[in-house]
Amino acid sequence: MFDGLKNTALGRAVFGGSGEKKLSQNRWVVIDIETTGLDHSIHSVLSIGAVAIVDGQVDVNDSFEAFLKQTEASASSNILVHGISTQQQLNGSDPRVAFTAFLDYVGASPLMGFQSSFDRGFLARAAKVWAQAPLSSDWLDVAELARMAYPETKARALDDWLAALQIENLQRHSAIFDALATAMLLQALLKKLQQTNKTDFRSLQVLAAQAKFVPRPL
């Protein structure tokens, strides 16, 4: 998306080039997806967007985007939400190529998303079906981490958190731009949490897990 298809993992899979996995423990991948519906057991992934956080900073040059070919386009009401046209859906990338490239792009990096259980369910199933490979089990929910960093904030949805922290999303319901906005939110949260000296991935996982015990502000 940001540097053109040939500079993405999908581009390397299609056009050739290095398939080397990125193994840095200081590299985290923030993801977002668009789907044909809400149930991962019957609905499909339409697009994947991902942006890396490297040493606590968003790296837009380390990004991934893919639109997946569908056997038939989703309903018009669904298209109104994500804006992925019938032609885009029918002319997308082969899901087998796309998911293999996505797993190559992720490598050994932890995965993060906003309310990530939704993305995790869809991607785990798709990776198994299309790439015959497991998805990373290392996940962090940015929404839970936001609650712990700013327990007094009433925000719930991604748009609410972006507004609260004055972060702009250039194109809502676009997987790559939602991933970028979420990555920028995570970067802001890491700056807020620096005073705790617990900004490594495992410590953040533990912190996010405590969110369920924090009362929401009225």
Side-chain angles (χ1 to χ4, degrees), residues 112-131:
M112 305 183 177
F114 192 89
Q115 296 178 343
S116 60
S117 60
F118 177 84
D119 307 89
R120 186 174 186 174
F122 271 93
L123 291 176
R125 178 176 181 269
K128 182 177 181 180
V129 170
W130 294 115

Side-chain angles (χ1 to χ4, degrees), residues 2 29-32 48-52 62-65 102 105 175-176 179:
F2 301 110
V29 173
V30 182
I31 57 94
D32 189 83
I48 307 171
V51 180
D62 188 351
S63 59
F64 177 93
E65 183 180 37
F102 174 65
Y105 167 78
I176 188 65

Side-chain angles (χ1 to χ4, degrees), residues 94-195:
D94 183 329
R96 288 165 292 192
V97 174
F99 271 97
T100 299
F102 174 65
L103 293 177
D104 175 69
Y105 167 78
V106 172
S109 300
L111 289 168
M112 305 183 177
F114 192 89
Q115 296 178 343
S116 60
S117 60
F118 177 84
D119 307 89
R120 186 174 186 174
F122 271 93
L123 291 176
R125 178 176 181 269
K128 182 177 181 180
V129 170
W130 294 115
Q132 289 78 53
L135 191 66
S136 171
S137 59
D138 283 332
W139 280 80
L140 178 70
D141 191 333
V142 177
E144 293 178 347
L145 191 63
R147 286 187 60 199
M148 296 303 294
Y150 292 94
E152 72 285 355
T153 301
K154 296 181 179 180
R156 295 198 180 194
L158 176 60
D159 288 340
D160 299 334
W161 279 107
L162 296 178
L165 298 184
Q166 298 182 322
I167 297 170
E168 183 180 5
N169 188 347
L170 298 176
Q171 188 176 334
R172 188 72 172 95
H173 291 301
S174 160
I176 188 65
F177 282 107
D178 280 352
L180 176 59
T182 303
M184 293 170 67
L185 172 59
L186 176 60
Q187 181 176 264
L189 299 177
L190 292 175
K191 290 180 180 178
K192 168 72 172 178
L193 294 168
Q194 278 181 345
Q195 57 192 334

